[in-house]
Tab-separated table of all heavy atoms in Angstrom:
chain	number	residue	atom	x	y	z
A	299	SER	N	-59.545	39.847	-2.924
A	299	SER	CA	-58.727	41.041	-2.693
A	299	SER	C	-58.392	41.765	-3.998
A	299	SER	O	-58.309	42.999	-4.020
A	299	SER	CB	-57.414	40.665	-1.997
A	299	SER	OG	-57.565	40.723	-0.604
A	300	TRP	N	-58.174	40.998	-5.070
A	300	TRP	CA	-57.917	41.665	-6.366
A	300	TRP	C	-59.066	42.601	-6.689
A	300	TRP	O	-58.858	43.751	-7.076
A	300	TRP	CB	-57.782	40.642	-7.506
A	300	TRP	CG	-56.715	39.611	-7.331
A	300	TRP	CD1	-55.711	39.597	-6.400
A	300	TRP	CD2	-56.542	38.411	-8.115
A	300	TRP	NE1	-54.940	38.469	-6.553
A	300	TRP	CE2	-55.418	37.731	-7.588
A	300	TRP	CE3	-57.229	37.845	-9.206
A	300	TRP	CZ2	-54.971	36.519	-8.127
A	300	TRP	CZ3	-56.783	36.652	-9.736
A	300	TRP	CH2	-55.660	35.996	-9.203
A	301	ALA	N	-60.305	42.078	-6.559
A	301	ALA	CA	-61.493	42.894	-6.849
A	301	ALA	C	-61.589	44.069	-5.884
A	301	ALA	O	-61.981	45.171	-6.270
A	301	ALA	CB	-62.753	42.041	-6.781
A	302	ALA	N	-61.205	43.825	-4.618
A	302	ALA	CA	-61.267	44.901	-3.627
A	302	ALA	C	-60.369	46.064	-4.041
A	302	ALA	O	-60.736	47.232	-3.904
A	302	ALA	CB	-60.873	44.371	-2.249
A	303	PHE	N	-59.181	45.756	-4.550
A	303	PHE	CA	-58.247	46.815	-4.962
A	303	PHE	C	-58.631	47.420	-6.317
A	303	PHE	O	-58.569	48.630	-6.497
A	303	PHE	CB	-56.811	46.266	-5.035
A	303	PHE	CG	-56.131	46.223	-3.705
A	303	PHE	CD1	-56.304	45.155	-2.845
A	303	PHE	CD2	-55.299	47.266	-3.303
A	303	PHE	CE1	-55.683	45.117	-1.609
A	303	PHE	CE2	-54.670	47.231	-2.060
A	303	PHE	CZ	-54.862	46.166	-1.214
A	304	ALA	N	-59.007	46.559	-7.285
A	304	ALA	CA	-59.162	47.040	-8.658
A	304	ALA	C	-60.555	47.591	-8.937
A	304	ALA	O	-60.704	48.496	-9.756
A	304	ALA	CB	-58.851	45.912	-9.638
A	305	ILE	N	-61.589	47.027	-8.286
A	305	ILE	CA	-62.964	47.426	-8.604
A	305	ILE	C	-63.558	48.282	-7.491
A	305	ILE	O	-64.088	49.359	-7.735
A	305	ILE	CB	-63.853	46.187	-8.850
A	305	ILE	CG1	-63.289	45.369	-10.027
A	305	ILE	CG2	-65.292	46.609	-9.148
A	305	ILE	CD1	-63.915	43.990	-10.178
A	306	ALA	N	-63.436	47.793	-6.233
A	306	ALA	CA	-64.051	48.521	-5.125
A	306	ALA	C	-63.169	49.683	-4.651
A	306	ALA	O	-63.658	50.623	-4.041
A	306	ALA	CB	-64.308	47.564	-3.967
A	307	HIS	N	-61.866	49.627	-4.945
A	307	HIS	CA	-60.908	50.630	-4.488
A	307	HIS	C	-60.937	50.801	-2.980
A	307	HIS	O	-60.827	51.908	-2.447
A	307	HIS	CB	-61.139	51.972	-5.182
A	307	HIS	CG	-61.105	51.854	-6.679
A	307	HIS	ND1	-59.962	51.540	-7.378
A	307	HIS	CD2	-62.092	51.945	-7.604
A	307	HIS	CE1	-60.242	51.474	-8.673
A	307	HIS	NE2	-61.527	51.699	-8.827
A	308	GLU	N	-61.139	49.683	-2.270
A	308	GLU	CA	-61.085	49.692	-0.810
A	308	GLU	C	-60.711	48.286	-0.350
A	308	GLU	O	-61.474	47.347	-0.568
A	308	GLU	CB	-62.451	50.114	-0.228
A	308	GLU	CG	-62.400	50.253	1.280
A	308	GLU	CD	-63.525	51.120	1.847
A	308	GLU	OE1	-64.036	52.006	1.128
A	308	GLU	OE2	-63.893	50.907	3.009
A	309	PRO	N	-59.541	48.103	0.256
A	309	PRO	CA	-59.108	46.764	0.672
A	309	PRO	C	-60.066	46.148	1.687
A	309	PRO	O	-60.774	46.863	2.395
A	309	PRO	CB	-57.740	47.011	1.314
A	309	PRO	CG	-57.310	48.356	0.842
A	309	PRO	CD	-58.546	49.132	0.588
A	310	LEU	N	-60.082	44.819	1.747
A	310	LEU	CA	-60.897	44.113	2.726
A	310	LEU	C	-60.497	44.541	4.128
A	310	LEU	O	-59.309	44.618	4.441
A	310	LEU	CB	-60.695	42.603	2.594
A	310	LEU	CG	-60.984	41.964	1.234
A	310	LEU	CD1	-60.574	40.491	1.249
A	310	LEU	CD2	-62.447	42.111	0.872
A	311	GLY	N	-61.502	44.827	4.970
A	311	GLY	CA	-61.226	45.236	6.341
A	311	GLY	C	-62.525	45.331	7.102
A	311	GLY	O	-63.601	45.408	6.492
A	312	ILE	N	-62.434	45.295	8.417
A	312	ILE	CA	-63.636	45.248	9.250
A	312	ILE	C	-63.701	46.406	10.242
A	312	ILE	O	-64.709	47.100	10.340
A	312	ILE	CB	-63.693	43.908	10.045
A	312	ILE	CG1	-63.614	42.694	9.107
A	312	ILE	CG2	-64.942	43.860	10.929
A	312	ILE	CD1	-64.825	42.443	8.267
A	313	THR	N	-62.609	46.616	11.010
A	313	THR	CA	-62.757	47.435	12.216
A	313	THR	C	-62.862	48.929	11.943
A	313	THR	O	-63.445	49.647	12.737
A	313	THR	CB	-61.620	47.172	13.227
A	313	THR	OG1	-60.355	47.370	12.596
A	313	THR	CG2	-61.726	45.783	13.802
A	314	THR	N	-62.297	49.419	10.826
A	314	THR	CA	-62.455	50.847	10.529
A	314	THR	C	-63.945	51.167	10.372
A	314	THR	O	-64.465	52.095	10.999
A	314	THR	CB	-61.701	51.230	9.247
A	314	THR	OG1	-60.338	50.832	9.371
A	314	THR	CG2	-61.753	52.727	9.011
A	315	ALA	N	-64.636	50.359	9.552
A	315	ALA	CA	-66.072	50.584	9.331
A	315	ALA	C	-66.872	50.345	10.601
A	315	ALA	O	-67.791	51.101	10.921
A	315	ALA	CB	-66.569	49.679	8.204
A	316	LEU	N	-66.510	49.285	11.346
A	316	LEU	CA	-67.267	48.973	12.560
A	316	LEU	C	-67.091	50.072	13.610
A	316	LEU	O	-68.034	50.395	14.340
A	316	LEU	CB	-66.809	47.617	13.111
A	316	LEU	CG	-67.724	46.932	14.122
A	316	LEU	CD1	-69.136	46.751	13.587
A	316	LEU	CD2	-67.156	45.569	14.511
A	317	SER	N	-65.896	50.682	13.663
A	317	SER	CA	-65.697	51.757	14.638
A	317	SER	C	-66.468	53.013	14.226
A	317	SER	O	-66.878	53.803	15.068
A	317	SER	CB	-64.207	52.077	14.801
A	317	SER	OG	-63.695	52.732	13.662
A	318	ARG	N	-66.693	53.167	12.905
A	318	ARG	CA	-67.535	54.290	12.447
A	318	ARG	C	-68.992	54.001	12.741
A	318	ARG	O	-69.755	54.904	13.071
A	318	ARG	CB	-67.292	54.552	10.971
A	318	ARG	CG	-65.917	55.175	10.734
A	318	ARG	CD	-65.555	55.277	9.262
A	318	ARG	NE	-66.660	55.770	8.483
A	318	ARG	CZ	-67.189	55.134	7.447
A	318	ARG	NH1	-66.703	53.982	7.059
A	318	ARG	NH2	-68.193	55.652	6.804
Side-chain angles (χ1 to χ4, degrees):
Chain A
S299 269
W300 302 348
F303 278 85
I305 300 168
H307 305 293
E308 185 160 333
L310 303 174
I312 304 289
T313 55
T314 305
L316 197 55
S317 71
R318 289 172 45 237

